[in-house]
């Protein structure tokens, strides 16, 4: 009987180790929690625990942060110093109102790096809000992923190339030299990532754009910018769900988010990147083969 119990315990310990080894990476990401109160200034600002600031955030912390809610939408937040604490101020009230907070909800802030936080919301029953009804009332609260809003010292971005039906290439750098020069001043270096030859030589009768993947595309925060000129010429001017397909005919739903300055693939892009084992410096061609449907060609580095 004793040997049977010992054997059972060993199996349980092995099973526990297997579960721990299979935990997704995001479970190891630093996080902190807050309770959304309806009293005081809870709706106007949110303090970040000092220990979290000292342990996980840069001493030269940017004044901007991005919160990504359960819907996949993003909010720009201004960070400021209040006495000895770092607080989220401008933009927090909009996030608070859009999610109808103030009923003692439990908020879990999971840090993705580059001053980007994923926010999970749990109501008083202890259940997570998977779907949140959001009434966005301010266009300027949409995501604007400018370089100065991120920890840009760790990000190397490339200029996506838009290719017209005639085959003439135009880069966003050529279309907006001022923006490119501003980016180089901010980063202090030129972009290193380049498209591979196969991607450069790719031609199609369909409108498409090309992009060499960066760290921010294939790691947290898992976002991919789309050339504004391509969106204006080929896609709706509002938040849209598009379909990605590969040569294997598998499909993924990906959300395109708009702001005044950026167009970004957000919700669904993470799953697509992981499923297709995308890595930094891989080249991708996004070919618009039908209304709101892309055929994605991946050229591995």
């Amino acid at each position: 009987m004793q040997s049977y119990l010992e054997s059972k315990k060993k199996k349980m310990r092995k099973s526990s180790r297997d579960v721990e080894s299979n935990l997704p990476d995001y479970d190891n990401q630093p996080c902190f929690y807050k309770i959304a109160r309806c009293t005081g200034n809870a709706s106007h600002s949110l303090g970040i625990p000092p220990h979290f600031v000292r342990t996980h955030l840069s001493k030269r912390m940017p004044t901007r942060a991005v919160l990504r809610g359960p819907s996949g939408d993003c909010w720009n937040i201004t960070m400021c110093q209040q006495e000895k604490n770092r607080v989220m101020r401008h933009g927090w009230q909009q996030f608070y109102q859009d999610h109808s907070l103030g009923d003692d909800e439990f908020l879990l802030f999971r840090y993705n790096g580059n001053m980007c936080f994923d926010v999970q919301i749990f109501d008083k029953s202890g259940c997570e809000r998977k779907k949140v009804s959001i009434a966005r009332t301010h266009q300027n609260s949409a995501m604007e992923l400018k370089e100065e809003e991120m920890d840009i010292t760790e990000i190397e971005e490339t200029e996506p190339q838009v290719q017209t039906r005639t085959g003439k290439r135009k880069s966003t750098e050529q279309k907006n030299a001022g923006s490119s020069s501003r980016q180089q001043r901010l980063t202090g270096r030129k972009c290193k990532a380049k498209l591979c030859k196969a991607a450069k030589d790719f031609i199609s009768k369909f409108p498409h754009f090309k992009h060499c993947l960066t760290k921010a595309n294939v790691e947290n925060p898992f976002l991919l910018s789309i050339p504004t000129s391509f969106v204006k010429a080929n896609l709706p001017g509002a938040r849209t769900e598009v379909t990605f397909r590969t040569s294997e005919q598998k499909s993924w739903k990906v959300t395109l988010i708009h702001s005044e300055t950026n167009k970004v693939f957000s919700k669904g892009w993470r799953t697509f990147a992981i499923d297709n084992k995308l890595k930094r410096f891989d080249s991708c061609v996004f070919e618009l083969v039908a209304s709101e449907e892309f055929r994605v060609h991946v050229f591995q580095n």
Side-chain angles (χ1 to χ4, degrees):
M1 184 66 178
Q2 187 175 357
S3 62
Y4 171 78
L5 291 175
E6 290 178 355
S7 175
K8 197 74 173 176
K9 288 180 180 179
K10 287 182 180 179
K11 288 182 179 179
M12 290 176 66
R13 286 195 294 268
K14 183 178 184 300
S15 176
S16 176
R17 287 195 299 268
D18 289 343
V19 170
E20 291 176 358
S21 65
N22 290 326
L23 287 175
D25 291 341
Y26 62 72
D27 280 357
N28 297 320
Q29 291 171 351
C31 56
F32 67 90
Y33 78 89
K34 287 288 182 175
I35 305 296
R37 307 291 187 186
C38 60
T39 57
N41 295 323
S43 65
H44 298 285
S45 63
L46 181 90
I48 303 177
H51 180 72
F52 186 92
V53 174
R54 291 193 302 270
T55 306
H56 302 292
L57 301 184
S58 170
K59 292 181 180 179
R60 188 185 62 82
M61 188 165 62
T63 57
R64 303 266 186 167
V66 175
L67 300 182
R68 180 160 52 190
S71 65
D73 284 326
C74 297
W75 285 255
N76 289 326
I77 306 294
T78 299
M79 306 288 294
C80 64
Q81 191 77 24
Q82 184 173 300
E83 296 180 353
K84 295 183 179 181
N85 299 319
R86 277 281 180 174
V87 299
M88 299 180 183
R89 187 176 294 281
H90 180 70
W92 167 251
Q93 185 173 18
Q94 189 64 46
F95 182 91
Y96 186 97
Q97 293 173 352
D98 287 343
H99 292 85
S100 302
L101 300 178
D103 193 22
D104 292 338
E105 292 87 0
F106 180 97
L107 308 181
L108 181 65
F109 294 79
R110 194 182 303 278
Y111 185 50
N112 293 323
N114 297 325
M115 294 308 295
C116 182
F117 295 84
D118 281 332
V119 186
Q120 292 176 268
I121 303 174
F122 300 82
D123 60 30
K124 289 194 294 186
S125 71
C127 296
E128 183 180 3
R129 291 188 192 173
K130 287 294 186 180
K131 296 182 179 179
V132 181
S133 177
I134 299 174
R136 303 299 294 275
T137 57
H138 295 82
Q139 178 66 27
N140 61 5
S141 68
M143 181 176 65
E144 297 179 8
L145 289 175
K146 299 177 182 178
E147 290 84 1
E148 63 268 28
E149 294 173 3
M150 295 294 208
D151 184 2
I152 58 174
T153 59
E154 298 181 2
I155 299 178
E156 297 173 5
E157 290 296 339
T158 58
E159 293 291 333
Q161 287 187 342
V162 182
Q163 190 155 346
T164 64
R165 287 182 175 86
T166 60
K168 184 178 180 180
R169 292 180 183 142
K170 293 182 180 180
S171 71
T172 53
E173 181 179 2
Q174 290 171 328
K175 292 179 70 65
N176 194 343
S179 175
S180 177
S181 62
R182 181 176 68 88
Q183 179 184 357
Q184 290 186 15
R185 288 198 304 272
L186 287 167
T187 59
R189 63 180 176 228
K190 294 183 179 181
C191 301
K192 297 180 180 180
K194 294 181 180 180
L195 290 170
C196 69
K197 186 177 186 302
K200 287 181 179 179
D201 294 342
F202 182 93
I203 58 174
S204 171
K205 65 179 181 181
F206 297 107
H208 56 280
F209 68 93
K210 304 173 181 180
H211 183 66
C212 185
L213 299 179
T214 67
K215 182 178 179 180
N217 301 151
V218 296
E219 299 177 18
N220 286 316
F222 280 99
L223 298 170
L224 188 139
S225 296
I226 314 163
T228 301
S229 59
F230 183 89
V231 175
K232 287 182 177 179
N234 302 287
L235 294 168
R239 188 175 186 269
T240 307
E241 186 177 72
V242 300
T243 301
F244 280 5
R245 297 188 187 279
T246 61
S247 57
E248 298 179 359
Q249 292 304 309
K250 294 181 180 179
S251 64
W252 292 260
K253 295 294 184 181
V254 180
T255 301
L256 169 61
I257 294 177
H258 291 251
S259 76
E260 292 180 355
T261 57
N262 290 278
K263 322 298 175 188
V264 181
F265 286 136
S266 177
K267 185 178 180 181
W269 167 254
R270 178 200 297 261
T271 302
F272 178 83
I274 293 174
D275 287 351
N276 289 278
K277 298 180 174 57
L278 300 184
K279 297 179 180 179
R280 193 177 181 185
F281 302 126
D282 285 350
S283 296
C284 290
V285 178
F286 298 84
E287 187 182 16
L288 187 64
V289 296
S291 176
E292 301 174 14
E293 181 178 328
F294 285 89
R295 183 185 296 126
V296 185
H297 305 268
V298 179
F299 303 91
Q300 294 184 339
N301 179 39

